[in-house]
Amino acid sequence: MERKQKITITAAVAAIIVAVVCVAGFYTKAGPVHQLTEKGKVAVIRVNGPIVGGDDDPMRFSSSNVTTSGSLMREFRKARKDQEVKAVLLRIDSPGGSAAATQEAATELERLKKSGKPVIVSMGDTAASGAYWLSVYGDTVYANPSTITGSIGVYMSYYDLQGLSQKLGVSEEKIKSGAHKDIFSPFRPMTEEERQMTQTMVNDMYDQFVAVVAKGRHMDEAKVRTLADGRVFTGAQAQQLGLVDKMGNYYDALADAGKRIGANPDNVPTVEYDHSVSWKQLLEGNSSLSQFIRSQFSTDTAVPLPLLLMKGVLQR
Amino acid sequence: MRSLILDTLEYTYDLITKPKVTLDKIVQERRLREGVLIWIFTLILPCVSAIVQLSGAHIGAAFGALLFGCVCFILQIIFIHGISCLLGGSGTIKALAAGLGFSNIPLNFATLAESLLFILPSILVHFISIASLLWTLVLSVLAVRSAYGMSTARSTLAVCMPMIIVVCVIIILVIWFAFSVLTLVKGF
């Protein structure tokens, strides 16, 4: 073949490769391509353990046994923005936690619902108090007959250690700017005025909780208040009282979510955003180095590791 | 510059159609400039792909990746030259660099496949990536063989030795680190 022909062919192939790589790069971010090429998925978001404020420590040594509001908000936002995700399965196994942390996460959950994606809640062992607060946002709430749920209420506690400190000969000298600055100090009993102030706060949070349950479960507030004395219910009792919708396990809830997106209920495509792998899991051999690296980038397993590492270098 | 590009394109075509003969010619004529041009293209293409795909990527990071690639390539050439000389070969770094630069051509097909991951099955992409890597390895072995006049077995050892050494060092470091950390755990 002549030199000119060789050069032309090679130049054409090189130009095509560069063009395809560039165009492919743009289109991987484009919505219409995602809708054409990717089937719908259900995002599974888990709430395990107490719900607390703050965020996960990415360099933590061992797995976390709490759910932070930061991580929950992030997952709700990802599910809302992920065009592949058509529905969300919220799997809850939590005794509750901080009211403010729950509210923060609930705000993002509400935004997710407003985007039009159905939310199916699956209760595990326990879904009480703040965890129940989150549950009421579900379009359908599944529980097991023996799930512990309810506990609609709020409390604040403090320890009065004055007697103990006197026995130990320990006293506290406090110079404060206002009378109630040390309202929960364990070194003195609460005054009646402070008790009233705290009760007012608790009542305010309680009213907010009741309002959320009434709205989420489409019940009268008066009826919710009759159930909201802090008592817990089994899943079966909760269903009779209108606090949950159906009895079923995780896979029943997943099948429900799958039907809503037109997927095979026995083989629902799912995605989970929390792939966090702790150093302890890596060192114990419970996770591969590949999974550990992917968890740092919070991505699924479809991206080849070399490209992921390059993306990591360029991103950071 | 124009003739450099035209020569590079011609050699690229010949390398794909007649790899052994072309590599011999590249090494004998010490086409270092053409080899470096191919290598730069091979390094830039995935950077372009990553920058286009990532909304938050910085151009500065791309230059950092290029610099890192430069250092790795130079170290690879030095290692292979040293090991080839130890194995009884005789040749020049310039000839080796020219050959190794051209041997990176198949990697561009891997970059192309990986950029199409969103429409191609992942198993196909992995297959193309592995095939490209193997093809690059074969071309590297041919380049070393041509540059140093060694047998295929010794050339393969020379090409693979840097990777084997790096992997062994990483394994040793990880084991050492893991033991160091685990000694902090009670009962271990």
Side-chain angles (χ1 to χ4, degrees), chain B residues 10-98:
Chain B
E10 186 189 2
Y11 277 113
T12 302
Y13 182 94
D14 287 337
L15 184 76
I16 292 172
T17 53
K18 298 172 287 183
K20 189 181 173 310
V21 168
T22 310
L23 268 174
D24 283 341
K25 193 176 172 191
I26 288 168
V27 165
Q28 279 164 19
E29 293 175 6
R30 292 179 191 170
R31 294 279 180 171
L32 180 59
R33 291 189 312 162
E34 289 82 352
V36 167
L37 193 61
I38 291 289
W39 172 79
I40 287 172
F41 178 83
T42 306
L43 199 60
I44 285 179
L45 193 62
C47 290
V48 165
S49 170
I51 287 170
V52 166
Q53 285 190 46
L54 297 172
S55 53
H58 294 288
I59 301 293
F63 280 113
L66 279 172
L67 190 63
F68 181 70
C70 266
V71 170
C72 286
F73 188 52
I74 291 169
L75 287 174
Q76 183 193 18
I77 292 169
I78 293 171
F79 267 127
I80 293 178
H81 175 72
I83 292 167
S84 298
C85 292
L86 282 173
L87 290 172
S90 63
T92 62
I93 280 190
K94 196 174 174 185
L96 175 65

Side-chain angles (χ1 to χ4, degrees), chain A residues 107-182:
Chain A
T107 302
E108 284 304 320
L109 182 54
E110 205 164 13
R111 286 179 187 147
L112 168 65
K113 282 194 61 170
K114 280 182 184 166
S115 70
K117 298 183 183 180
V119 175
I120 313 301
V121 171
S122 169
M123 295 181 173
D125 197 45
T126 309
S129 191
Y132 185 73
W133 185 318
L134 282 180
S135 300
V136 301
Y137 286 91
D139 294 293
T140 306
V141 180
Y142 281 82
N144 300 292
S146 293
T147 294
I148 303 296
T149 186
S151 187
I152 304 169
V154 177
Y155 72 85
M156 294 175 86
S157 65
Y158 86 108
Y159 288 97
D160 181 2
L161 302 176
Q162 187 183 37
L164 179 62
S165 64
Q166 281 171 350
K167 285 182 181 172
L168 295 172
V170 174
S171 63
E172 188 193 32
E173 289 288 333
K174 191 167 286 177
I175 295 94
K176 50 193 180 183
S177 60
H180 307 300
K181 183 64 182 172
D182 60 338

Side-chain angles (χ1 to χ4, degrees), chain A residues 1-229:
Chain A
M1 191 179 279
E2 285 184 17
R3 174 181 153 95
K4 195 176 174 187
Q5 279 179 319
K6 291 179 187 178
I7 289 169
T8 307
I9 290 170
T10 312
V13 170
I16 289 169
I17 289 176
V18 172
V20 169
V21 165
C22 290
V23 169
F26 281 115
Y27 270 98
T28 52
K29 293 192 294 189
V33 172
H34 279 285
Q35 286 169 10
L36 282 173
T37 60
E38 298 290 344
K39 296 174 190 168
K41 290 182 182 174
V42 173
V44 179
I45 298 174
R46 298 176 190 272
V47 181
N48 291 324
I51 302 169
V52 300
D55 211 334
D56 290 340
D57 176 8
M59 296 298 287
R60 66 181 181 278
F61 184 69
S62 58
S63 300
S64 175
N65 56 1
V66 299
T67 298
T68 60
S69 56
S71 66
L72 262 185
M73 284 193 288
R74 208 163 27 249
E75 288 189 67
F76 288 147
R77 284 175 76 86
K78 274 184 189 170
R80 174 165 59 90
K81 292 178 180 182
D82 190 343
Q83 293 176 7
E84 293 177 20
V85 166
K86 308 296 181 196
V88 172
L89 174 58
L90 186 60
R91 173 70 176 176
I92 298 179
D93 199 347
S94 166
S98 154
T102 304
Q103 270 178 326
E104 259 203 315
T107 302
E108 284 304 320
L109 182 54
E110 205 164 13
R111 286 179 187 147
L112 168 65
K113 282 194 61 170
K114 280 182 184 166
S115 70
K117 298 183 183 180
V119 175
I120 313 301
V121 171
S122 169
M123 295 181 173
D125 197 45
T126 309
S129 191
Y132 185 73
W133 185 318
L134 282 180
S135 300
V136 301
Y137 286 91
D139 294 293
T140 306
V141 180
Y142 281 82
N144 300 292
S146 293
T147 294
I148 303 296
T149 186
S151 187
I152 304 169
V154 177
Y155 72 85
M156 294 175 86
S157 65
Y158 86 108
Y159 288 97
D160 181 2
L161 302 176
Q162 187 183 37
L164 179 62
S165 64
Q166 281 171 350
K167 285 182 181 172
L168 295 172
V170 174
S171 63
E172 188 193 32
E173 289 288 333
K174 191 167 286 177
I175 295 94
K176 50 193 180 183
S177 60
H180 307 300
K181 183 64 182 172
D182 60 338
I183 185 170
F184 291 115
S185 170
F187 290 100
R188 66 169 180 82
M190 207 177 250
T191 66
E192 193 51 41
E193 186 188 3
E194 287 168 345
R195 197 176 299 279
Q196 285 299 319
M197 287 164 63
T198 308
Q199 186 66 59
T200 306
M201 288 169 61
V202 166
N203 291 345
D204 186 14
M205 287 191 275
Y206 173 76
D207 290 340
Q208 292 172 36
F209 196 168
V210 167
V212 163
V213 172
K215 186 179 173 189
R217 300 303 304 162
H218 308 293
M219 293 164 72
D220 286 334
E221 270 201 31
K223 185 179 177 191
V224 174
R225 282 178 193 276
T226 63
L227 304 171
D229 58 0

Side-chain angles (χ1 to χ4, degrees), chain B residues 70-177:
Chain B
C70 266
V71 170
C72 286
F73 188 52
I74 291 169
L75 287 174
Q76 183 193 18
I77 292 169
I78 293 171
F79 267 127
I80 293 178
H81 175 72
I83 292 167
S84 298
C85 292
L86 282 173
L87 290 172
S90 63
T92 62
I93 280 190
K94 196 174 174 185
L96 175 65
L100 286 182
F102 272 95
S103 68
N104 284 312
I105 288 172
L107 293 177
N108 294 299
F109 297 110
T111 305
L112 174 66
E114 284 169 5
S115 66
L116 295 172
L117 189 65
F118 68 103
I119 52 173
L120 292 177
S122 59
I123 194 165
L124 178 62
V125 171
H126 290 141
F127 176 76
I128 293 172
S129 297
I130 291 170
S132 302
L133 276 171
L134 287 173
W135 189 1
T136 300
L137 188 67
V138 166
L139 290 177
S140 301
V141 169
L142 288 175
V144 170
R145 205 173 76 164
S146 299
Y148 291 93
M150 296 191 299
S151 66
T152 305
R154 289 190 183 200
S155 303
T156 307
L157 187 62
V159 168
C160 295
M161 190 59 76
M163 287 181 266
I164 293 169
I165 291 171
V166 167
V167 167
C168 288
V169 167
I170 290 173
I171 289 171
I172 291 167
L173 283 174
V174 168
I175 292 171
W176 168 74
F177 177 72

